[in-house]
Amino acid sequence: MLPVTGDSSALDDLRVLDLAGEEAVYCTKLLADLGADVIRVEPPGGSPIRRLGPFVGDIRDPERSIQHLYFNTSKRGVTLDIAKPEGRELFLKLAASADVIVESFKPGFLASLGLGYDDLTRVKPDIILTSVTGFGQTGPHSGWEWSDLIDVAMSGILTLSGFVDAPPYRPYPSQAYYCAGVEAAIGTLLAVTARDLQGEGQWVDVSIQESLSMAQETAMQTWDFLHRARRRVGGAEQAIRLGGLQEVADGYVFSMIGLAGAGAPLAAFVEWLVEEGAAGDLVESGVLADLKEVASAGRGMARDPAVMQRMQGHIGKVADQAKVFLKSRRKTEIYVRGQQHGFLIGAANDPKDIVESEQLIARGWFQEVPHPELGMTIKFPGVPYHLSDCPARVRRRAPLVGEHNAEVYGEIGVGAGELAALKARGVV
C-alpha cells in the first residue's frame, strides 16, 4: 500500500445534495468517501433504496438494507418532501449552501416542482446539477422508461454477453447503474474543476445508455469501419484444450495455459505436473522432451505440419493429465502455484474468497466501520483508488432516516420549533 502522508480529504470543501436513486447513488458514495459533505435527501420515511434487500440478519427494516448501508457510507442524511411547497422552499435553501446536486429523476420532474437547473441557479448561480437518466435529457428517447436491464440491452452490451452458441446473457446486476455512477462522478468533478477555474457552474447530463455503451470497447468502431458486428466470445477459449474455465476441487479457475504468448510455455506446465507428482507418463513417453525441443526451435519447426500434428497429440495427453490434476486441487492453490510458475490463471472467486484475499487485506482495502444501532462493526469494501496525500476512506456508517435533520437544517437557520412544525406537516 502506498504510504499515506496526509489527513485531509480531496473534496473536504465540497457540499453535495444527494437526491439520487439507484442509478446515481454510487456517484454520491464516491464523492462522500473522497471527503465531500454529501447530504442524502430522502422523502419522509426514507428512500426506496432502503426497501431493497438483502437485509442484515434477514430482518426487513429500512435501517438494515445492505444496499442502503453500502451506498450511503460517509454521508449525512435528512428527510424532505420536495414535492410540497414548503419542502421546495427548504430545498432551495439547502441548494444555496451547496456546490453540487445529484439526481436521477425522469427529465423534467425537478423542473415541474420549480427545482430545475434554471430555478437552482437563481439561488446559487454557480451550482452544478448532475442528472443521471436512462437516455439523457434530450433526444427522442429522453422521456422513455428505463431500468438497469433496459440500458444493458440498449447499450449493446447484452448482445456481447454470454456464450457463442446461446442467447445473450444478462451481466450481473446492476452494471449499468455502476457505470453511470462512475461516469457521473467523473463528470461532476470535471464541472467542479471548471467552476473553480472559470467561476461558473453547469448542468452535467449523464445518459446510462451512453455510459455503458463504452464497455463495448471497439465494437462500434468495428461496425463503423468494417460493417461487421462483434459476436459473443464466452466459451470460445475451450478451443484451447487447457484454456477457459477449468473445474477444480472447489469451483473453477480461468486458464490461458497453452495459448501462445500468454505466460509460460506448455512444457513448463508439464514440469509443474512433474513437481506435483501428477504428470503420469508425460516424461517417460517423451512428451515433455518433445515439447521443450519444439519450443526452443522457434516458429519454423512449430509450423511444420507433421510437428503440428504431433503437438496436437501431446496437448491432448497433457490436457487429460491436467484435468485430473486440477480436480484434485483447490482454486486458491492452483492460482497461487500457477502464478508462481508464470501461468495466466485466475481463480473464479466468490465473495468469501474476496473477503479473505491476502492481496486486498495487505493493501488495507477493507475498512471496518462501527454501527452501534445494529450492534456490530461492518466490514466495507474500500474505495477503488489510493491517494497518498488526501486519502479517500469510508468515514462513517450510512445515516439513519432523518438522522441529521436538526444538524443540517440548523445550519441554514431552521430552529427546533420550526423543524417540529415541518415534521408535523409531513414536510420532513
Side-chain angles (χ1 to χ4, degrees):
M1 186 168 62
L2 289 174
V4 175
T5 59
D7 294 326
S8 62
S9 298
L11 302 180
D12 55 10
D13 61 345
L14 197 73
R15 171 170 283 192
V16 179
L17 301 184
D18 177 9
L19 290 168
E22 287 183 82
E23 301 90 338
V25 72
Y26 188 51
C27 164
T28 48
K29 171 181 168 56
L30 291 172
L31 300 177
D33 290 341
L34 278 166
D37 176 20
V38 176
I39 300 170
R40 182 130 180 93
V41 182
E42 304 179 79
S47 161
I49 290 178
R50 293 176 179 269
R51 293 189 282 277
L52 299 177
F55 298 88
V56 176
D58 286 331
I59 300 172
R60 184 175 291 274
D61 183 281
E63 303 297 357
R64 288 175 171 267
S65 164
I66 292 176
Q67 296 217 38
H68 164 71
L69 292 171
Y70 172 67
F71 284 114
N72 293 302
T73 55
S74 306
K75 302 177 184 178
R76 297 194 286 172
V78 300
T79 51
L80 183 63
D81 186 350
I82 61 173
K84 293 186 174 181
E86 289 178 289
R88 171 188 178 276
E89 295 306 314
L90 199 52
F91 186 79
L92 288 174
K93 288 183 179 178
L94 286 174
S97 71
D99 302 283
V100 175
I101 297 170
V102 179
E103 59 95 10
S104 56
F105 297 112
K106 291 189 73 171
F109 176 75
L110 280 183
S112 73
L113 302 179
L115 296 173
Y117 179 65
D118 291 340
D119 303 300
L120 296 169
T121 57
R122 279 192 277 275
V123 297
K124 186 69 183 294
D126 62 351
I127 195 75
I128 293 162
L129 174 64
T130 297
S131 299
V132 180
T133 55
F135 306 103
Q137 298 293 314
T138 59
H141 297 181
S142 63
W144 289 15
E145 301 294 334
W146 75 80
S147 70
D148 184 271
L149 182 54
I150 293 298
D151 275 303
V152 166
M154 294 301 293
S155 69
I157 292 302
L158 193 63
T159 64
L160 296 176
S161 301
F163 291 88
V164 292
D165 57 351
Y169 280 15
R170 178 186 185 181
Y172 188 77
S174 303
Q175 298 303 307
Y177 291 167
Y178 272 88
C179 284
V182 171
E183 300 299 339
I186 294 171
T188 299
L189 294 179
L190 289 172
V192 169
T193 302
R195 184 205 62 176
D196 291 348
L197 293 172
Q198 302 166 2
E200 296 182 357
Q202 57 187 298
W203 192 357
V204 181
D205 174 10
V206 179
S207 156
I208 301 172
Q209 180 187 28
E210 293 170 8
S211 299
L212 193 59
S213 289
M214 302 315 299
Q216 294 182 98
E217 301 181 11
T218 57
M220 288 180 289
Q221 289 72 33
T222 300
W223 174 259
D224 191 27
F225 287 112
L226 305 175
H227 289 273
R228 187 172 68 228
R230 291 250 180 114
R231 302 297 181 189
R232 293 181 290 284
V233 298
E237 310 84 3
Q238 302 303 327
I240 311 166
R241 290 292 301 273
L242 290 163
L245 283 175
Q246 302 288 332
E247 188 175 1
V248 294
D250 60 343
Y252 293 90
V253 297
F254 189 89
S255 163
M256 296 177 72
I257 295 173
L259 182 63
L266 188 58
F269 179 67
V270 176
E271 291 177 327
W272 179 19
L273 292 179
V274 172
E275 291 176 21
E276 300 285 349
D281 67 348
L282 294 177
V283 177
E284 294 79 2
S285 64
V287 170
L288 175 57
D290 205 14
L291 289 172
K292 283 183 171 180
E293 181 182 356
V294 172
S296 62
R299 292 185 177 181
M301 184 176 181
R303 290 175 176 171
D304 181 287
V307 173
M308 291 175 65
Q309 186 174 11
R310 196 168 73 244
M311 287 298 106
Q312 287 301 315
H314 291 347
I315 291 171
K317 291 179 180 179
V318 173
D320 290 341
Q321 287 298 131
K323 188 175 182 180
V324 175
F325 167 65
L326 293 172
K327 283 188 175 180
S328 70
R329 301 295 196 277
R330 299 176 68 82
K331 56 188 172 187
T332 301
E333 179 184 355
I334 293 297
Y335 166 63
V336 172
R337 295 281 291 149
Q339 289 282 344
Q340 290 171 344
H341 282 77
F343 294 107
L344 286 172
I345 294 178
N349 283 335
D350 58 27
K352 178 176 180 294
D353 298 323
I354 295 172
V355 170
E356 296 175 350
S357 166
E358 63 177 2
Q359 171 69 10
L360 296 174
I361 293 172
R363 283 176 57 79
W365 190 58
F366 297 106
Q367 292 182 250
E368 294 189 340
V369 179
H371 197 308
E373 292 77 9
L374 294 182
M376 63 175 62
T377 295
I378 302 175
K379 178 183 288 187
F380 286 103
V383 293
Y385 25 65
H386 292 249
L387 305 176
S388 61
D389 290 338
C390 47
R393 62 173 73 90
V394 178
R395 294 178 296 159
R396 62 159 70 99
R397 60 155 174 73
L400 308 176
V401 176
E403 179 178 356
H404 301 99
N405 278 359
E407 180 178 304
V408 171
Y409 290 130
E411 292 170 1
I412 58 172
V414 178
E418 184 180 358
L419 189 60
L422 289 168
K423 184 175 182 180
R425 292 194 291 273
V427 178
V428 300

